[in-house]
Amino acid sequence: MSENILKGIAAAPGISIATAFIYKKEIETIDDEQISNVEDAIENFEKSLNKSKKELNKIFTLAVDKMGENRAGIFEAQMMILDDPVLIQNIKDRIKKEKRSPIFIVDAEFSKYQKILALSEESYMKERSQDIEDIKNRIIRNIKKKKWISRIEKDVIVVTNSITPADTVLFSRENVKGYITNFGGLTSHAAIVARSLNIPAVLGIHDATTKINNGDKIIIDGVHGEVIINPTEEQLNYYEEKCKRLAEFDSGLAKLSDKPAITKDGKKIILRANLDIVEELEFIFRNGAEGVGLVRTEQIFNLADEFPDENKQYKIYKELAEKIYPNIVIIRVFDIGGDKVFPVDVKEPNPFLGWRGIRFLLDNENLLKTQIRALLRASIHKNIKFMIPMVTSIHEIKRTKEILEVCKIELKNEGKEFDKKIKFGIMVEVPSAAVMAEEFAAEVDFISIGTNDLIQYLLAVDRGNEIVSSLYQEFHPAVIRVLYKIIHASKLNSAKVSICGEMAADILATPLLVGMGLDSLSVSASTIPHIKKIIRSINFSDAKLLAEECLKLKTEKEISIKLQDYFKLHFSDELENVF
């Protein structure tokens, strides 16, 4: 790798070329001063609280415009901390008792919460400590009556130590071209906000602010997680040409939006989109998806603080079903635990193999019942299907079906309408489910293969671990053969089978997946035009032959070469533009 290239986490896709703006937050000094007038100090503290609330409320309003109400809920959560009566009273009591500066007391009290969160083993909770830091600094600045500075120049790539959600939203008003940070991961609020706003971001570079200077020319490649500092003429020409080609290529792809995903010899593949936030719907429609193949409900509701009640869920599912009608929307029940939001206090030594997905829901049946009732009530247009995640045993499938029947009886007795034949499916994402695919398929209407976890568990590789991440191989022969087994087993039992993991969005894999017999693919909205173009350019008979050849190969390298050779022969323009 060239010396001027930094590698980080590809947190939000896209390519930008712009000038670097080093954003440094002023660090407030915290003096432990004794005070003589306690009443004045408490009044000053209360005023600073009110001012902080007003500031956050303004940011919340701006965020609603840019990101939608659910995502903007990040700032509502921050405002709730400012209303915490126990925390606020504790600060006031300490000011009275200890006669110390409110700045010192605020710093001490908020820092306690930060330390607790920072010690958490879950990355999500660790990253929340950054949100507490933001609130703490805001109050302290307001106690000092200093102006809150979040100003940057227009059209720059922001380079900083870490970035708060508030900064991310405020900076977007200046047409920011990208974000680069020393710290932060895929689940940080900054990453979520950047993706929602469609701004490229590479996070977690560690030494970005020491290696990049103000005014440096920067190329940010949010697809590959790379940052190029002061590019050579050759690098600049390459990326400028790539941006230009991408724009032209995207323009050509847009013309396919109303065309079906059908091979040249007539094999129809249903191409749906994955959905994380409701505001993505417009983008999904524009790119020509035939419905939604995966709604991640834990993302839709941003479960950081509480589980939504039945009515709140019903309204969202109903709105989704109506907007997507007559196409299908497949809704996954809450998949929590692992690296995802977990709004209860549970400590596990290995959360990925712990209390997560359907395990958690079956141990909390009221939560599952609430969600199933809401889904049923929203299903009157008969275009909702639902599925359960992290299935490992047939008991989990049968118990969920029993709960489904109980919910149907309850709603019938209450005189509420619902789709009596709602389709029920499972995610296959662990080896035990893959091995039992034939038996599991006999119990359900459809199977959706979640390749991210399936590959991770099948190859025993943590894809987030840089040391072994190269061993995470979607074209490993074991992966290909297991995928084929799941597809074949599903078809033996007439269960429809689709794939919704990141592998489905890899255009190199498209002919192979089609050739193995998948009925549908569900991918990010931005990938749909690329996948559609591939499907419309191939013969199913050729893809089937390609799959049969790949299934006989013994190494990942052999399969990759086979697929690349196929692409060089049929899609040289895709290789040049996308990779």
Side-chain angles (χ1 to χ4, degrees):
M1 185 177 285
S2 176
E3 285 184 357
N4 67 340
I5 299 178
L6 304 179
K7 188 81 179 165
I9 297 166
I15 295 171
S16 282
I17 303 172
T19 305
F21 180 90
I22 308 295
Y23 176 65
K24 287 182 183 171
K25 283 204 166 183
E26 195 178 335
I27 299 171
E28 297 296 336
T29 53
I30 309 295
D31 297 321
D32 184 8
E33 293 176 347
Q34 291 292 311
I35 56 169
S36 55
N37 193 328
V38 170
E39 285 185 8
D40 274 1
I42 289 178
E43 187 183 347
N44 190 15
F45 169 63
E46 287 175 339
K47 282 181 179 172
S48 73
L49 271 183
N50 290 332
K51 192 164 192 312
S52 301
K53 283 181 204 170
K54 284 179 185 171
E55 288 168 352
L56 281 173
N57 197 42
K58 275 172 71 177
I59 295 168
F60 172 68
T61 306
L62 180 63
V64 169
D65 287 345
K66 287 185 170 288
M67 303 156 55
E69 198 152 339
N70 280 319
R71 288 285 167 186
I74 292 168
F75 303 106
E76 274 190 313
Q78 290 194 355
M79 286 189 281
M80 283 168 67
I81 294 172
L82 296 178
D83 281 326
D84 182 341
V86 176
L87 175 67
I88 305 305
Q89 193 56 50
N90 197 31
I91 290 172
K92 288 180 181 176
D93 289 346
R94 283 192 62 184
I95 294 171
K96 282 182 198 169
K97 188 177 170 187
E98 299 174 27
K99 292 189 169 49
R100 279 169 149 169
S101 148
I103 291 170
F104 178 83
I105 304 290
V106 165
D107 181 65
E109 285 297 312
F110 277 87
S111 295
K112 275 198 296 192
Y113 284 94
Q114 277 182 273
K115 281 176 189 166
I116 292 168
L117 292 171
L119 287 172
S120 170
E121 290 179 359
E122 293 180 36
S123 59
Y124 176 84
M125 297 306 289
K126 278 185 179 173
E127 281 157 5
R128 297 295 75 78
S129 73
Q130 291 292 326
D131 297 350
I132 303 285
E133 175 81 10
D134 184 39
I135 301 168
K136 180 180 79 177
N137 289 337
R138 192 173 292 280
I139 298 170
I140 289 172
R141 279 172 184 268
N142 284 328
I143 292 174
K144 290 185 174 183
K145 298 183 172 54
K146 290 176 73 172
K147 283 195 173 178
W148 186 257
I149 301 170
S150 278
R151 294 203 183 96
I152 59 162
E153 293 169 17
K154 283 187 180 294
D155 303 317
V156 294
I157 290 174
V158 174
V159 184
T160 185
N161 193 45
S162 63
I163 192 164
T164 67
D167 287 335
T168 320
V169 172
L170 290 170
F171 292 165
S172 70
R173 293 187 300 185
E174 306 300 332
N175 197 29
V176 163
K177 300 295 185 188
Y179 292 108
I180 300 167
T181 67
N182 292 337
F183 302 103
L186 285 173
T187 56
S188 68
H189 277 149
I192 293 168
V193 172
R195 287 197 289 273
S196 296
L197 299 175
N198 207 23
I199 298 172
V202 177
L203 308 185
I205 288 183
H206 301 300
D207 51 3
T209 52
T210 57
K211 292 195 169 173
I212 300 173
N213 297 310
N214 225 13
D216 279 348
K217 179 166 268 193
I218 297 289
I219 297 173
I220 179 168
D221 182 343
V223 177
H224 298 99
E226 289 181 357
V227 169
I228 302 169
I229 311 165
N230 292 323
T232 62
E233 198 171 329
E234 186 183 357
Q235 288 169 325
L236 192 59
N237 288 341
Y238 172 80
Y239 273 97
E240 283 178 342
E241 184 60 28
K242 190 164 186 171
C243 287
K244 189 178 160 191
R245 281 204 318 266
L246 275 174
E248 291 169 358
F249 192 67
D250 288 346
S251 172
L253 289 176
K255 294 173 184 168
L256 297 177
S257 65
D258 59 348
K259 308 279 187 195
I262 186 165
T263 63
K264 289 198 290 188
D265 51 357
K267 169 79 172 173
K268 173 83 168 70
I269 305 294
I270 297 170
L271 200 47
R272 299 191 176 110
N274 297 337
L275 183 139
D276 287 310
I277 58 174
V278 176
E279 290 70 25
E280 287 176 301
L281 270 180
E282 187 186 332
F283 193 41
I284 285 171
F285 291 137
R286 197 164 63 231
N287 281 358
E290 291 182 80
V292 173
L294 171 64
V295 178
R296 298 182 175 100
T297 50
E298 68 281 356
Q299 295 282 359
I300 290 278
F301 290 103
N302 192 17
L303 296 177
D305 300 306
E306 60 181 5
F307 290 101
D309 63 24
E310 182 181 318
N311 275 336
K312 188 171 181 182
Q313 290 190 55
Y314 161 68
K315 285 176 188 168
I316 295 285
Y317 304 147
K318 179 172 174 282
E319 186 184 351
L320 273 175
E322 286 174 350
K323 286 186 173 172
I324 292 164
Y325 186 84
N327 286 316
I328 295 292
V329 51
I330 299 175
I331 297 177
R332 184 178 71 188
V333 297
F334 297 134
D335 184 12
I336 46 180
D339 60 345
K340 303 181 180 79
V341 180
F342 209 28
V344 290
D345 185 21
V346 177
K347 288 186 179 175
E348 295 195 76
N350 188 345
F352 285 93
L353 298 180
W355 206 30
R356 56 169 293 200
I358 193 61
R359 300 169 184 178
F360 174 79
L361 293 176
L362 287 177
D363 286 345
N364 294 274
E365 283 193 4
N366 282 339
L367 278 179
L368 183 57
K369 266 189 75 180
T370 300
Q371 192 165 20
I372 291 176
R373 278 177 56 95
L375 284 165
L376 281 169
R377 286 173 59 198
S379 67
I380 56 171
H381 300 298
K382 300 185 178 178
N383 67 330
I384 286 182
K385 299 181 182 182
F386 85 98
M387 62 182 175
I388 55 175
M390 194 68 184
V391 175
T392 56
S393 74
I394 209 157
H395 162 75
E396 292 163 339
I397 300 171
K398 288 187 171 178
R399 183 60 195 144
T400 305
K401 286 167 74 174
E402 288 169 2
I403 294 170
L404 172 63
E405 291 309 311
V406 170
C407 292
K408 285 180 178 177
I409 292 168
E410 284 179 1
L411 292 174
K412 188 179 175 187
N413 291 339
E414 293 166 22
K416 293 191 167 77
E417 285 185 58
F418 60 91
D419 178 6
K420 293 178 181 57
K421 294 181 180 175
I422 190 168
K423 302 290 185 190
F424 166 62
I426 56 169
M427 294 275 294
V428 170
E429 50 195 332
V430 297
S432 61
V435 171
M436 297 292 289
E438 189 173 339
E439 289 79 2
F440 286 10
E443 295 287 333
V444 299
D445 298 303
F446 66 94
I447 279 176
S448 186
I449 306 171
T451 49
N452 299 355
D453 276 341
L454 181 60
I455 296 171
Q456 183 163 263
Y457 294 133
L458 193 62
L459 302 181
V461 173
D462 177 358
R463 63 191 179 132
N465 181 337
E466 290 175 12
I467 300 168
V468 293
S469 60
S470 63
L471 299 176
Y472 180 92
Q473 298 166 344
E474 63 184 27
F475 298 132
H476 190 293
V479 172
I480 303 304
R481 293 179 196 189
V482 164
L483 288 178
Y484 180 73
K485 174 182 166 52
I486 299 167
I487 296 165
H488 184 65
S490 302
K491 289 184 178 296
L492 283 178
N493 288 284
S494 302
K496 295 288 183 187
V497 58
S498 68
I499 186 169
C500 60
E502 285 176 17
M503 188 176 179
D506 181 350
I507 60 168
L508 201 60
T510 306
L512 174 62
L513 296 175
V514 170
M516 286 200 291
L518 278 170
D519 300 301
S520 63
L521 303 170
S522 188
V523 297
S524 63
S526 59
T527 317
I528 285 172
H530 295 274
I531 304 285
K532 190 181 285 187
K533 184 185 174 197
I534 300 292
I535 292 171
R536 288 177 60 83
S537 306
I538 61 175
N539 278 306
F540 175 60
S541 55
D542 291 342
K544 202 173 167 192
L545 190 61
L546 176 72
E548 285 169 1
E549 288 173 349
C550 287
L551 283 164
K552 292 176 189 165
L553 298 175
K554 295 177 184 172
T555 68
E556 185 270 344
K557 191 175 178 183
E558 287 174 339
I559 294 173
S560 291
I561 289 172
K562 173 71 71 181
L563 296 176
Q564 284 167 16
D565 287 346
Y566 183 88
F567 256 70
K568 282 175 192 167
L569 192 63
H570 296 90
F571 309 106
S572 58
D573 59 337
E574 281 279 351
L575 282 175
E576 287 170 8
N577 284 301
V578 179
F579 295 104

